[in-house]
Amino acid sequence: MAETDDYKPSQVVWEITLKCNLKCMHCGSSAGLERGDELTTEESKKVCKQLAEIGFRGIGLMGGEMFLRKDWEIIVKEIKDQGMAVSTVTNGYFKPEKIIPKLLKLEVDCVTVGFDGTEEIHDEIRGVKGAYKKSLEFMRAAKKEGLLINPITTVHKKNFHVLNELGKIILEDEGLDWQIQTAVPIGRFPEKLKLSEEEVYALGLFIANFQKKYSKDRVIGSHSLGFYSEKIPNLSFYPEWKGCYAGKSVLGINSRGDIRGCEILPDEYIEGNVRDRSIVDIWNDPNAFSYNRNFKKEDLGPLCKDCKHALKCKGGCMCRSVLLTGHEHNDPNCFYRTEQKFSSK
């Protein structure tokens, strides 16, 4: 595949186990028990080598709960040995002294901790009483040891009303930066708790105001939150949205070795399995990830086909498009379209 700025391998999200110690209501994987056919240690090391060969720069490891996988340290070490950065995603429900020294020894680049509300709300969302205190204890201990800690909040109707209070806790009381994303109805997350179009837009305004108050470096909107607004500045770490990055610069891998452009996409978007075919072959296949790599104007869904930004935006986030509307390139959470709707009333 020809490499351009739009098609340059960048980040991989890799679910290394489905095993988990919490019962989060927004879990897209319905995590709990590990899969019976998860990749072995040697298979995982082979995956690391192939990702480095392709040229990926960073790997985000997650679960389930990744620290429940017995060989997670071996996988992290292999990624680092291959010259790639490593970030870990955890719920923080561990004794810090059991995990943090290992993260320091392995020189993990970033530790992302799910942090979804004030104490009562967080515990309700995570499904285990005491989860809030554990997460906070873990983040404080990691920060004290000099690890880069990045709390991440998945927003839906259960915690939307406590964002102001949560932001104060994270940004002021704890002195940490904050990443914000939205939940989509997949796995364990129920459709009734997803944010409405108006709530998503309000979340965009909230993030923009917090970025103005605390700086954009400290408050980050998820990569696919809102497009081409005439009122809200770009919220994400991408300088410009040029269409969904799944299969172009981003890759998803699950614990049994299935490959998708994005780990949140449904099973019909699996491009192959690492046990049957190398990731290098899958990535370089001109027919792989065709929904994004071979995008045409005719692929736009009904919400986006007549938009003046359509050929730049390419219909927004593929995951939200498919999961929320059943159409590709048809993201219903578009700030520009919401603004047009408001202005016509």
Side-chain angles (χ1 to χ4, degrees), residues 135-170:
S135 295
L136 201 56
E137 178 188 12
F138 188 91
M139 288 191 292
R140 286 172 175 171
K143 181 186 177 185
K144 184 178 180 181
E145 293 298 325
L147 284 169
L148 177 60
I149 299 296
N150 179 17
I152 186 168
T153 300
T154 303
V155 183
H156 44 77
K157 289 185 184 295
K158 279 288 183 181
N159 59 3
F160 186 72
H161 64 289
V162 298
L163 290 180
N164 267 306
E165 188 174 353
L166 182 59
K168 181 181 181 300
I169 292 170
I170 293 172

Side-chain angles (χ1 to χ4, degrees), residues 84-116:
M84 296 177 288
V86 180
S87 62
T88 61
V89 182
T90 177
N91 57 43
Y93 198 79
F94 296 93
K95 293 181 178 180
E97 63 271 19
K98 298 290 186 180
I99 301 294
I100 291 173
K102 298 175 181 179
L103 295 172
L104 289 166
K105 181 180 179 180
L106 291 164
E107 299 182 337
V108 167
D109 298 274
C110 179
V111 181
T112 302
V113 181
F115 201 56
D116 293 313

Side-chain angles (χ1 to χ4, degrees), residues 252-270:
I253 309 173
N254 73 9
S255 60
R256 65 163 65 98
D258 294 326
I259 301 295
R260 297 175 177 87
C262 174
E263 185 55 20
I264 305 174
L265 283 167
D267 285 353
E268 55 263 36
Y269 288 89
I270 293 173

Side-chain angles (χ1 to χ4, degrees), residues 25-30 184-190:
M25 66 173 58
H26 60 257
C27 180
S29 303
S30 299
V184 290
I186 187 173
R188 198 178 286 134
F189 184 68

